[in-house]
Amino acid sequence: MMQYVLPTFAFLAELVVFFVLARRGLTPFGGWQTALRVVLALTLCGMAVVHFAKPGELARIVPPALPAGSLMVIVTGVLELAAAMGLLWPRFAPAAATGFSFLLIAIFPANVYGAGQVVGGLRMPGVLPRTLLQILFIGLTLVAGWGFPFAARD
């Protein structure tokens, strides 16, 4: 569980710092939505690096019914980088957020299959914590790309 506690804490700390800086006007990132896009893009880049650095280890959580586990890990890393770039481009942010949210849903079976397994010497979290993190990440991604659905209009 520790392998998820530290990255999750780092992500949340990064999120708080960017929101505080954006709120105080101390950052060139603009408003809260832009700050959230930057935070998520940095997180996605970090996730992609892990996919490229250890594809064989991450392939262990790809369900055996799916072919070429290592290739699928690399492809998802490339898609994470594409989503990161898309989030940083306001014009493409809604499409990137939507696409990445669908990717998170598509890879969820691997998270269920990998629940409790040891990967790279670390035990993967159970289904419930992973599901909650996935829901949070999908929600933040959609808000970053599209904004709040019922936000007051100017």
Side-chain angles (χ1 to χ4, degrees), residues 53-96:
K54 306 211 180 222
E57 287 184 20
L58 289 178
R60 292 183 198 162
I61 68 166
V62 175
L66 299 174
S70 292
L71 177 62
M72 293 189 92
V73 169
I74 296 289
V75 168
T76 56
V78 169
L79 293 173
E80 288 167 350
L81 284 179
M85 288 187 285
L87 284 172
L88 292 175
W89 237 329
R91 179 178 178 183
F92 298 109

Side-chain angles (χ1 to χ4, degrees), residues 31-44:
W32 65 268
Q33 191 175 12
T34 305
L36 182 57
R37 287 180 189 153
V38 171
V39 168
L40 289 171
L42 290 171
T43 303
L44 287 170

Side-chain angles (χ1 to χ4, degrees), residues 15 25 31 36-37 57 84-85 96 111 117 132 135 140-141:
L15 191 62
L36 182 57
R37 287 180 189 153
E57 287 184 20
M85 288 187 285
N111 293 321
Q117 288 187 30
L132 296 174
I135 290 169
L140 288 172
T141 300

